Amino acid sequence: MVLPGVYAPQEDTALLAGALSDESLRPGAAVLDVGTGTGALALAAARRGGRVTAVDVSWRAVCAARLNAARAGLRIRVRHGNLFTPVGGQTFDLVLANPPYVPAPYSGRRPRGSARAWDAGSDGRMVLDRICLEAPRLLRPGGVLLLVQSALSDPARTEALLREAGLKASVIRRRRIAFGPVLRGRERWLRQRGLLSLTDREEELVVVRAELPV
């Protein structure tokens, strides 16, 4: 179920779900899904036996995730809040993140409404940098962060920041997709910024995996 204004599962969700399926997840493992949206990834982890907490800044997304969990007969904790604030002091075996990552022209104010699911500042890193800074403290030894983002928002910086925090980080999945409505709407601006070449007709999505050594 996708409520109005809630980010619907798309190619980035599927790419991250594929990376999740490759992880060995013991029964009862503590899982955090940040920016859960409809709860699709949280439910996938719960089906694997994970003890899942899901967080979203949108109340509509919180309601959607709770409804979808009830419909699926799965138990997940859904919390409302900004990024990791609702789980301060807790640690996890696995953290899933599908944050906003699309570069957006500067408007003088923070994204509002459904745009909060994709707009991420002029370099696309408004939320990514926070995740790189804060997520390592939430991982247990041997814990893993799986994060999906666009190649437009500098995956190399994501890897570098996570490594600086002491994690082993690398890109493990890539997928090229046709421009969606958001990118089509700002294609000219992205080309002017040099983030897209004159011949680019697809966006590359990547999954970064980072592990905290034992």
Short mmCIF file of all heavy atoms in Angstrom, two decimals, residues 129-166:
data_model
loop_
_atom_site.label_atom_id
_atom_site.label_comp_id
_atom_site.label_asym_id
_atom_site.label_seq_id
_atom_site.Cartn_x
_atom_site.Cartn_y
_atom_site.Cartn_z
N ASP A 129 25.96 12.71 3.76
CA ASP A 129 27.08 13.03 4.64
C ASP A 129 26.73 12.77 6.10
O ASP A 129 27.58 12.31 6.88
CB ASP A 129 27.52 14.49 4.45
CG ASP A 129 28.32 14.70 3.18
OD1 ASP A 129 28.82 13.70 2.62
OD2 ASP A 129 28.46 15.85 2.74
N ARG A 130 25.50 13.05 6.49
CA ARG A 130 25.08 12.76 7.87
C ARG A 130 25.09 11.27 8.14
O ARG A 130 25.51 10.83 9.22
CB ARG A 130 23.67 13.31 8.11
CG ARG A 130 23.61 14.82 8.31
CD ARG A 130 22.21 15.23 8.73
NE ARG A 130 21.80 14.55 9.96
CZ ARG A 130 20.53 14.49 10.38
NH1 ARG A 130 19.56 15.04 9.66
NH2 ARG A 130 20.24 13.87 11.51
N ILE A 131 24.65 10.48 7.18
CA ILE A 131 24.65 9.03 7.37
C ILE A 131 26.07 8.52 7.53
O ILE A 131 26.37 7.71 8.42
CB ILE A 131 23.94 8.34 6.19
CG1 ILE A 131 22.45 8.64 6.22
CG2 ILE A 131 24.19 6.83 6.21
CD1 ILE A 131 21.68 8.10 5.05
N CYS A 132 26.97 9.01 6.70
CA CYS A 132 28.37 8.58 6.79
C CYS A 132 28.98 8.94 8.14
O CYS A 132 29.84 8.22 8.67
CB CYS A 132 29.19 9.20 5.67
SG CYS A 132 28.75 8.58 4.02
N LEU A 133 28.56 10.06 8.70
CA LEU A 133 29.09 10.51 9.98
C LEU A 133 28.47 9.76 11.15
O LEU A 133 29.18 9.37 12.10
CB LEU A 133 28.83 12.01 10.14
CG LEU A 133 29.26 12.65 11.47
CD1 LEU A 133 30.77 12.60 11.62
CD2 LEU A 133 28.76 14.08 11.57
N GLU A 134 27.16 9.52 11.09
CA GLU A 134 26.44 9.00 12.24
C GLU A 134 26.25 7.49 12.25
O GLU A 134 26.20 6.87 13.33
CB GLU A 134 25.08 9.69 12.35
CG GLU A 134 25.17 11.20 12.53
CD GLU A 134 23.81 11.88 12.53
OE1 GLU A 134 22.82 11.20 12.90
OE2 GLU A 134 23.72 13.06 12.16
N ALA A 135 26.12 6.88 11.09
CA ALA A 135 25.81 5.44 11.04
C ALA A 135 26.86 4.56 11.69
O ALA A 135 26.50 3.56 12.34
CB ALA A 135 25.59 5.01 9.59
N PRO A 136 28.17 4.84 11.54
CA PRO A 136 29.15 3.94 12.16
C PRO A 136 28.94 3.74 13.65
O PRO A 136 29.23 2.65 14.18
CB PRO A 136 30.49 4.64 11.87
CG PRO A 136 30.24 5.36 10.58
CD PRO A 136 28.83 5.86 10.70
N ARG A 137 28.43 4.74 14.36
CA ARG A 137 28.22 4.61 15.80
C ARG A 137 27.04 3.70 16.13
O ARG A 137 26.88 3.28 17.28
CB ARG A 137 27.98 5.99 16.43
CG ARG A 137 29.18 6.92 16.33
CD ARG A 137 29.03 8.11 17.29
NE ARG A 137 27.93 8.98 16.92
CZ ARG A 137 28.05 10.04 16.13
NH1 ARG A 137 29.24 10.34 15.61
NH2 ARG A 137 27.02 10.80 15.85
N LEU A 138 26.21 3.42 15.13
CA LEU A 138 25.05 2.56 15.37
C LEU A 138 25.31 1.09 15.05
O LEU A 138 24.46 0.24 15.30
CB LEU A 138 23.86 3.02 14.52
CG LEU A 138 23.03 4.17 15.09
CD1 LEU A 138 23.76 5.50 14.95
CD2 LEU A 138 21.67 4.25 14.40
N LEU A 139 26.49 0.80 14.51
CA LEU A 139 26.80 -0.57 14.11
C LEU A 139 27.49 -1.34 15.24
O LEU A 139 28.40 -0.82 15.88
CB LEU A 139 27.69 -0.58 12.87
CG LEU A 139 27.06 -0.09 11.57
CD1 LEU A 139 28.11 -0.09 10.47
CD2 LEU A 139 25.88 -0.97 11.16
N ARG A 140 27.06 -2.58 15.43
CA ARG A 140 27.76 -3.49 16.33
C ARG A 140 29.00 -4.02 15.62
O ARG A 140 29.08 -3.97 14.39
CB ARG A 140 26.83 -4.63 16.72
CG ARG A 140 25.59 -4.17 17.47
CD ARG A 140 24.59 -5.28 17.68
NE ARG A 140 23.43 -4.79 18.44
CZ ARG A 140 22.35 -5.50 18.69
NH1 ARG A 140 22.25 -6.77 18.24
NH2 ARG A 140 21.35 -4.99 19.39
N PRO A 141 29.98 -4.53 16.35
CA PRO A 141 31.13 -5.14 15.68
C PRO A 141 30.68 -6.20 14.68
O PRO A 141 29.86 -7.06 15.00
CB PRO A 141 31.92 -5.77 16.84
CG PRO A 141 31.58 -4.90 18.02
CD PRO A 141 30.14 -4.51 17.82
N GLY A 142 31.16 -6.10 13.46
CA GLY A 142 30.72 -6.99 12.39
C GLY A 142 29.45 -6.52 11.72
O GLY A 142 28.98 -7.15 10.76
N GLY A 143 28.88 -5.41 12.19
CA GLY A 143 27.65 -4.88 11.62
C GLY A 143 27.87 -4.27 10.25
O GLY A 143 28.98 -3.86 9.90
N VAL A 144 26.79 -4.21 9.48
CA VAL A 144 26.87 -3.78 8.07
C VAL A 144 25.89 -2.65 7.80
O VAL A 144 24.74 -2.68 8.27
CB VAL A 144 26.57 -4.98 7.14
CG1 VAL A 144 26.40 -4.53 5.68
CG2 VAL A 144 27.67 -6.03 7.24
N LEU A 145 26.35 -1.68 7.03
CA LEU A 145 25.50 -0.63 6.47
C LEU A 145 25.35 -0.89 4.98
O LEU A 145 26.35 -1.06 4.27
CB LEU A 145 26.13 0.75 6.69
CG LEU A 145 25.55 1.92 5.87
CD1 LEU A 145 24.14 2.25 6.35
CD2 LEU A 145 26.46 3.15 5.96
N LEU A 146 24.11 -0.92 4.49
CA LEU A 146 23.82 -0.99 3.06
C LEU A 146 23.10 0.29 2.67
O LEU A 146 22.03 0.59 3.21
CB LEU A 146 22.94 -2.20 2.73
CG LEU A 146 23.56 -3.58 2.94
CD1 LEU A 146 22.51 -4.67 2.67
CD2 LEU A 146 24.77 -3.80 2.04
N LEU A 147 23.68 1.02 1.74
CA LEU A 147 23.17 2.34 1.37
C LEU A 147 23.07 2.44 -0.14
O LEU A 147 24.01 2.08 -0.85
CB LEU A 147 24.11 3.41 1.92
CG LEU A 147 23.81 4.88 1.65
CD1 LEU A 147 24.36 5.73 2.79
CD2 LEU A 147 24.46 5.34 0.35
N VAL A 148 21.93 2.92 -0.64
CA VAL A 148 21.77 3.11 -2.08
C VAL A 148 21.79 4.60 -2.39
O VAL A 148 21.25 5.41 -1.62
CB VAL A 148 20.47 2.45 -2.59
CG1 VAL A 148 19.23 3.11 -2.01
CG2 VAL A 148 20.42 2.46 -4.11
N GLN A 149 22.44 4.96 -3.50
CA GLN A 149 22.48 6.36 -3.91
C GLN A 149 22.72 6.43 -5.41
O GLN A 149 22.97 5.42 -6.07
CB GLN A 149 23.60 7.11 -3.17
CG GLN A 149 25.00 6.67 -3.56
CD GLN A 149 26.07 7.59 -2.98
OE1 GLN A 149 26.60 7.33 -1.89
NE2 GLN A 149 26.40 8.65 -3.70
N SER A 150 22.65 7.65 -5.93
CA SER A 150 22.93 7.89 -7.35
C SER A 150 24.41 8.16 -7.54
O SER A 150 25.08 8.73 -6.66
CB SER A 150 22.11 9.07 -7.84
OG SER A 150 22.51 9.45 -9.15
N ALA A 151 24.92 7.80 -8.71
CA ALA A 151 26.28 8.18 -9.06
C ALA A 151 26.42 9.69 -9.18
O ALA A 151 27.54 10.21 -9.10
CB ALA A 151 26.68 7.51 -10.37
N LEU A 152 25.32 10.40 -9.33
CA LEU A 152 25.36 11.86 -9.40
C LEU A 152 25.76 12.49 -8.08
O LEU A 152 26.19 13.65 -8.04
CB LEU A 152 23.99 12.40 -9.81
CG LEU A 152 23.45 11.99 -11.19
CD1 LEU A 152 22.02 12.50 -11.36
CD2 LEU A 152 24.35 12.52 -12.29
N SER A 153 25.62 11.74 -6.98
CA SER A 153 25.90 12.29 -5.65
C SER A 153 27.19 11.72 -5.04
O SER A 153 27.32 11.64 -3.82
CB SER A 153 24.71 12.10 -4.71
OG SER A 153 24.21 10.78 -4.79
N ASP A 154 28.13 11.33 -5.91
CA ASP A 154 29.51 11.03 -5.52
C ASP A 154 29.66 9.83 -4.58
O ASP A 154 30.00 9.99 -3.40
CB ASP A 154 30.14 12.27 -4.89
CG ASP A 154 31.66 12.20 -4.86
OD1 ASP A 154 32.23 11.16 -5.25
OD2 ASP A 154 32.29 13.20 -4.44
N PRO A 155 29.47 8.61 -5.09
CA PRO A 155 29.68 7.43 -4.25
C PRO A 155 31.10 7.32 -3.71
O PRO A 155 31.31 6.76 -2.62
CB PRO A 155 29.37 6.26 -5.21
CG PRO A 155 28.50 6.85 -6.26
CD PRO A 155 28.95 8.26 -6.43
N ALA A 156 32.09 7.84 -4.45
CA ALA A 156 33.47 7.77 -3.97
C ALA A 156 33.62 8.53 -2.66
O ALA A 156 34.38 8.10 -1.77
CB ALA A 156 34.42 8.33 -5.02
N ARG A 157 32.92 9.63 -2.51
CA ARG A 157 32.96 10.37 -1.24
C ARG A 157 32.32 9.56 -0.13
O ARG A 157 32.81 9.54 1.00
CB ARG A 157 32.26 11.73 -1.39
CG ARG A 157 32.19 12.51 -0.08
CD ARG A 157 31.66 13.93 -0.28
NE ARG A 157 31.37 14.58 0.98
CZ ARG A 157 32.28 15.15 1.78
NH1 ARG A 157 33.55 15.12 1.43
NH2 ARG A 157 31.91 15.73 2.90
N THR A 158 31.23 8.89 -0.43
CA THR A 158 30.58 8.03 0.57
C THR A 158 31.57 6.96 1.05
O THR A 158 31.73 6.75 2.26
CB THR A 158 29.33 7.36 -0.04
OG1 THR A 158 28.39 8.38 -0.40
CG2 THR A 158 28.69 6.41 0.96
N GLU A 159 32.23 6.29 0.12
CA GLU A 159 33.21 5.27 0.50
C GLU A 159 34.32 5.86 1.35
O GLU A 159 34.71 5.30 2.37
CB GLU A 159 33.81 4.62 -0.75
CG GLU A 159 32.84 3.78 -1.57
CD GLU A 159 33.50 3.22 -2.81
OE1 GLU A 159 34.09 2.14 -2.71
OE2 GLU A 159 33.44 3.89 -3.87
N ALA A 160 34.83 7.02 0.93
CA ALA A 160 35.95 7.63 1.64
C ALA A 160 35.57 8.02 3.06
O ALA A 160 36.33 7.77 4.02
CB ALA A 160 36.45 8.85 0.87
N LEU A 161 34.39 8.61 3.23
CA LEU A 161 33.96 9.03 4.57
C LEU A 161 33.75 7.83 5.48
O LEU A 161 34.09 7.87 6.68
CB LEU A 161 32.67 9.84 4.47
CG LEU A 161 32.80 11.24 3.86
CD1 LEU A 161 31.42 11.88 3.70
CD2 LEU A 161 33.68 12.13 4.72
N LEU A 162 33.18 6.76 4.94
CA LEU A 162 32.96 5.56 5.76
C LEU A 162 34.28 4.90 6.13
O LEU A 162 34.45 4.40 7.25
CB LEU A 162 32.05 4.59 5.01
CG LEU A 162 30.60 5.07 4.84
CD1 LEU A 162 29.85 4.18 3.87
CD2 LEU A 162 29.88 5.11 6.19
N ARG A 163 35.23 4.91 5.23
CA ARG A 163 36.55 4.36 5.54
C ARG A 163 37.25 5.20 6.60
O ARG A 163 37.92 4.66 7.49
CB ARG A 163 37.39 4.27 4.27
CG ARG A 163 36.94 3.17 3.33
CD ARG A 163 37.62 3.28 1.98
NE ARG A 163 37.11 2.27 1.04
CZ ARG A 163 37.24 2.36 -0.28
NH1 ARG A 163 37.85 3.42 -0.83
NH2 ARG A 163 36.74 1.41 -1.06
N GLU A 164 37.10 6.51 6.51
CA GLU A 164 37.69 7.38 7.53
C GLU A 164 37.11 7.08 8.91
O GLU A 164 37.78 7.27 9.92
CB GLU A 164 37.44 8.85 7.18
CG GLU A 164 38.26 9.36 6.01
CD GLU A 164 37.89 10.78 5.63
OE1 GLU A 164 37.18 11.45 6.42
OE2 GLU A 164 38.32 11.23 4.54
N ALA A 165 35.87 6.60 8.94
CA ALA A 165 35.22 6.26 10.20
C ALA A 165 35.61 4.86 10.69
O ALA A 165 35.11 4.42 11.73
CB ALA A 165 33.71 6.35 10.05
N GLY A 166 36.47 4.18 9.95
CA GLY A 166 36.95 2.87 10.37
C GLY A 166 36.23 1.68 9.79
O GLY A 166 36.44 0.55 10.21
#
